[in-house]
Amino acid sequence: MESFPKTMEIVITNKMIRQYAAISGDVNPIHFSKTAAKKAGFPNQVAHGMLTMALSTIFISPLLQRQWRVVYFRIKFSSPLFIDDRLTIQATMMNHSEEELSFKISGNNQHNAPIIQGQIKLKKCTESKPPV
């Protein structure tokens, strides 16, 4: 089993926001226009919350290739994340058994303000092939 905690830092770029919008279909103007974001009360373009959540899965993705499956994924969004912000995500293993793994996920911006907190639980697949 890989060692935890693990930490990743990533700068949120305009390119990331545009690519995520293309995949998700979320084309809310606050993600693309500083003017629209300011009209909505934000100081800058806002990153998609679900982009932040998706980035937090980087630590468990390798486990999904080793017959683990997600059974629980809960994230609380505490503050918005903006274009050019630096997001630091940390995953800490909370439980480790032959059948179940659970991780605490937290993410802060460059000002150490909490952006996301949550938990991911995985269970070992006992079937010969992963569920669809």
Side-chain angles (χ1 to χ4, degrees):
M1 182 57 52
E2 300 174 32
S3 71
F4 283 85
K6 289 188 177 194
T7 303
M8 173 187 77
E9 283 189 15
I10 189 164
V11 174
I12 304 303
T13 65
N14 193 42
K15 181 179 179 182
M16 290 170 69
I17 290 173
R18 291 190 180 284
Q19 287 175 332
Y20 188 81
I23 291 168
S24 70
D26 182 348
V27 293
N28 187 318
I30 66 170
H31 302 305
F32 306 103
S33 164
K34 189 171 187 173
T35 302
K38 284 189 178 228
K39 283 182 183 178
F42 299 107
N44 204 349
Q45 290 169 248
V46 180
H48 300 80
M50 297 306 285
L51 169 61
T52 308
M53 187 174 179
L55 290 169
S56 74
T57 66
I58 195 163
F59 303 114
I60 64 153
S61 294
L63 297 170
L64 301 178
Q65 298 172 13
R66 290 187 247 149
Q67 296 191 331
W68 290 92
R69 63 183 169 105
V70 176
V71 294
Y72 180 85
F73 191 178
R74 184 173 191 175
I75 293 288
K76 176 183 175 189
F77 302 100
S78 303
S79 300
L81 189 65
F82 303 105
I83 192 168
D84 299 325
D85 276 0
R86 186 185 73 241
L87 176 64
T88 302
I89 300 174
Q90 183 173 49
T92 305
M93 189 174 291
M94 304 302 291
N95 178 37
H96 175 257
S97 71
E98 293 292 320
E99 300 298 319
E100 185 175 292
L101 303 173
S102 65
F103 301 90
K104 176 184 172 188
I105 303 293
S106 61
N108 295 341
N109 68 12
Q110 68 273 15
H111 306 293
N112 207 31
I115 302 297
I116 60 170
Q117 301 88 39
Q119 187 176 13
I120 302 172
K121 288 184 185 179
L122 306 175
K123 287 204 178 204
K124 189 75 165 185
C125 292
T126 54
E127 303 168 9
S128 59
K129 59 182 180 178
V132 179

